[in-house]
Amino acid sequence: MQSIEKEAAIAQEYLAKVSVEAERKFDVYLPSEKDRPCRLHEAMRYSMFAGGKRLRPALVKSTFDMFGGKGESVWLAMSALEMLHTFSLIHDDLPCVDNDDFRRGKLTSHKKFGEATAVMAGDALCVLAFELMGKTGNAQAIEILAHLLGTFGMIGGEMTDIECEGKPVDLEIVDYIHYHKTAALIEASLQVGAMLAGASDADIQKIRNYGRSIGLAFQIVDDILDIVSTTEELGKDAGSDVEKGKATYPALVGLDKSREKAKELYEESIRALDGLSCDTGILRAIAAFIITRVN
Amino acid sequence: MQSIEKEAAIAQEYLAKVSVEAERKFDVYLPSEKDRPCRLHEAMRYSMFAGGKRLRPALVKSTFDMFGGKGESVWLAMSALEMLHTFSLIHDDLPCVDNDDFRRGKLTSHKKFGEATAVMAGDALCVLAFELMGKTGNAQAIEILAHLLGTFGMIGGEMTDIECEGKPVDLEIVDYIHYHKTAALIEASLQVGAMLAGASDADIQKIRNYGRSIGLAFQIVDDILDIVSTTEELGKDAGSDVEKGKATYPALVGLDKSREKAKELYEESIRALDGLSCDTGILRAIAAFIITRVN
């Protein structure tokens, strides 16, 4: 087995390559700034092209390819997943929610376009994502994606995250928040990719377990970086979790134990891929990237 | 032909009957307040059960039944359409958008639950609507619904409505706003009902034309009522359009010409139903109700 750093480098190369292709598709699927309502379309594009790792599209594509998927539907789903992620970021940054001024080193949507436009831009990206998913022709994938996005998934995690700010919480709540806020959409990306490729239920279950582990690991690493990195490195306000009294692993168990937990989750994610007969190289590399990343 | 008042009475009876059945389904499909995140689920239910005519579910059902649709999918779509309508109302009422304190005689979502919860409740209703639509198994209906809901439909109309507040506008813009803000989702309700019932493309086109006419009529009547009714009659702040400098028909052409336009649109909607071989009685009655309603 290669060193974890080498694995991570493979993932970074893969992410860079997929980003370029995915962004070309975003440009096709996103409405033009020349079409009415122009400023809303501008706001949607601003946030979609504000950078980011494009992790979710890469997870859709790697899973789709791994299971031998063919055709254009993967690009629709990749774009949909990035739109849903962006929708959640825009609404989370709003003054009434996390009140963040910067995201990925750029002004947040409401700082740039005003609050009303930011609310609508988030809404419009969410709705456009489902339009693209409708074009894949796979209604079952839409049902599962929406479920993992809703109050029993991502939105449930975000809401609980907001409600728990500044309150004493236990590890059960932190796990609930992290799993729902972050892991659910990562799991959804993998599952949608697998479903569009026609993977078996048993294989989808393995992929979901992998997603749950890397999703939790991703959020723990995020919370560690919020403490140990600078605002410049992160492209968003560092130290904001502590300031807001956010429920995080480092806040509850400290940095060292949080790093240990991320490592354990990494190992769990690799084990979850056991028994898949296809080439899981990229997914293993992405897991390594997730726990070694620095921004 | 019966008098328009008699037709309207038939529609009212139909709406009342469908409301009862539809609300029973909303209760089944909406997550329980006992499940986490409890307060978010409470907020979703609060707005969904705050009253309302349930016009969109009734349009889904009447069209589905008219084209001989069978099965449970209609209830999923009816609930989805009401959730999408409610999502749009919650976000439109936000302080950064229309800043309304009352809706249907009750406090708006952000007044009752706070802004963050109102943003998330809207988001969650939108996402749940697509989960229910996913359960219908009809991906094409999802694509079309999302298109009519997005920036080339409802959200596009809302955004332009906000942008045009207090600015001089012409009838072309007012028509654009009304068609998109209101008629698009009404058209979508009809089209989804027809698609789930397996109607032909030619019949769906007739139904869409009907929807476009009654949708525009609906918004013009709304704007007339905003001027001639009291806050008590409306259950929301009367006179708020004038106060906000909203782009409306009455503001542009006066009350009398607005009433004439609504009447013309009513007649157009009835003509659009010509050539359908099924029983269009309920749709004709609903059109009569729309232009004679007083709240």
Side-chain angles (χ1 to χ4, degrees), chain B residues 30-48:
Chain B
L30 284 164
S32 164
E33 295 172 0
K34 288 177 190 153
D35 289 329
R36 196 188 272 168
C38 310
R39 202 168 154 75
L40 182 58
H41 291 158
E42 192 188 335
M44 292 164 77
R45 287 178 164 267
Y46 173 81
S47 292
M48 280 291 289

Side-chain angles (χ1 to χ4, degrees), chain A residues 36-37 39 41 87 91 96 115-117 123-124 127 130-131 134-135 137 139 143 146-147 149 151 159 172-173 176, chain B residues 36-37 41 87 91 96 115-117 123-124 127 130-131 134-135 137 139 143 146-147 149 151 159 163 172-173 176:
Chain A
R36 196 188 274 169
R39 202 168 154 75
H41 291 157
F87 141 67
H91 283 190
C96 65
E115 271 184 70
T117 304
D123 290 350
V127 169
F130 283 106
E131 184 178 344
K135 283 185 208 279
E143 180 191 344
H147 187 78
L149 188 69
T151 62
M159 193 70 238
E172 187 268 325
I173 281 276
Y176 170 90
Chain B
R36 196 188 272 168
H41 291 158
F87 140 67
H91 282 191
C96 66
E115 270 183 72
T117 304
D123 291 349
V127 168
F130 283 106
E131 185 178 344
K135 283 184 207 280
E143 179 191 343
H147 187 78
L149 188 69
T151 63
M159 192 72 236
E163 287 174 347
E172 186 266 327
I173 281 276
Y176 169 90

Side-chain angles (χ1 to χ4, degrees), chain A:
Chain A
M1 193 178 151
Q2 302 188 60
S3 77
I4 197 163
E5 286 75 21
K6 273 194 188 158
E7 295 258 9
I10 293 170
Q12 273 189 296
E13 204 177 306
Y14 180 79
L15 283 163
K17 203 181 112 239
V18 170
S19 289
V20 173
E21 295 175 276
E23 284 171 19
R24 224 174 275 147
K25 291 291 180 175
F26 301 164
D27 188 44
V28 172
Y29 298 139
L30 283 164
S32 164
E33 295 172 359
K34 288 177 189 151
D35 289 328
R36 196 188 274 169
C38 310
R39 202 168 154 75
L40 181 58
H41 291 157
E42 193 188 333
M44 292 164 76
R45 286 178 164 269
Y46 173 80
S47 293
M48 279 292 289
F49 289 113
K53 292 174 277 293
R54 313 304 189 190
L55 176 64
R56 288 151 199 83
L59 291 172
V60 175
K61 182 153 173 55
S62 54
T63 313
F64 182 83
D65 290 345
M66 187 176 92
F67 286 118
K70 297 277 170 248
E72 276 296 298
S73 68
V74 68
W75 297 104
L76 294 163
M78 289 164 68
S79 303
L81 265 296
E82 189 69 7
M83 286 174 192
L84 293 172
H85 176 55
T86 306
F87 141 67
S88 81
L89 298 180
I90 294 173
H91 283 190
D92 269 353
D93 287 338
L94 285 170
C96 65
V97 186
D98 279 353
N99 195 22
D100 280 316
D101 294 351
F102 289 95
R103 166 76 67 183
R104 295 166 180 165
K106 298 176 77 172
L107 286 174
T108 46
S109 182
H110 63 273
K111 280 305 230 183
K112 175 102 180 164
F113 296 94
E115 271 184 70
T117 304
V119 169
M120 296 288 153
D123 290 350
L125 285 170
C126 175
V127 169
L128 181 54
F130 283 106
E131 184 178 344
L132 298 183
M133 286 301 299
K135 283 185 208 279
T136 69
N138 193 323
Q140 209 199 339
I142 295 170
E143 180 191 344
I144 284 164
L145 173 60
H147 187 78
L148 287 168
L149 188 69
T151 62
F152 295 111
M154 189 189 79
I155 293 175
E158 288 173 348
M159 193 70 238
T160 310
D161 190 29
I162 300 165
E163 288 175 346
C164 289
E165 264 183 32
K167 290 182 191 157
V169 292
D170 58 22
L171 217 50
E172 187 268 325
I173 281 276
V174 174
D175 272 334
Y176 170 90
I177 292 173
H178 286 13
Y179 172 65
H180 289 80
K181 186 175 77 166
T182 307
L185 202 62
I186 284 176
E187 192 181 317
S189 305
L190 294 154
Q191 182 158 6
V192 166
M195 287 179 81
L196 292 179
S200 70
D201 288 349
D203 283 355
I204 288 175
Q205 194 49 58
K206 293 191 180 81
I207 282 293
R208 288 187 70 163
N209 292 341
Y210 160 86
R212 181 178 271 257
S213 299
I214 63 162
L216 278 175
F218 186 92
Q219 188 57 50
I220 292 173
V221 171
D222 230 42
D223 295 341
I224 293 171
L225 291 174
D226 186 74
I227 294 174
V228 302
S229 297
T230 65
T231 297
E232 246 178 14
E233 286 168 319
L234 291 182
K236 60 184 177 183
D237 299 337
S240 69
D241 290 345
V242 175
E243 204 179 294
K244 289 174 188 155
K246 285 277 189 191
T248 70
Y249 258 83
L252 223 66
V253 301
L255 280 173
D256 286 349
K257 283 212 170 143
S258 298
R259 287 195 181 103
E260 265 171 47
K261 177 73 183 173
K263 190 82 200 302
E264 272 169 36
L265 287 164
Y266 166 70
E267 281 154 11
E268 261 178 53
S269 77
I270 301 301
R271 276 199 301 276
L273 298 173
D274 281 353
L276 285 170
S277 55
C278 41
D279 180 1
T280 58
I282 295 293
L283 291 189
R284 279 185 282 116
I286 288 175
F289 165 72
I290 280 173
I291 65 148
T292 56
R293 72 201 175 88
V294 293
N295 63 26

Side-chain angles (χ1 to χ4, degrees), chain B residues 143-161:
Chain B
E143 179 191 343
I144 285 165
L145 173 60
H147 187 78
L148 287 168
L149 188 69
T151 63
F152 295 110
M154 189 189 78
I155 293 175
E158 288 174 348
M159 192 72 236
T160 309
D161 190 29

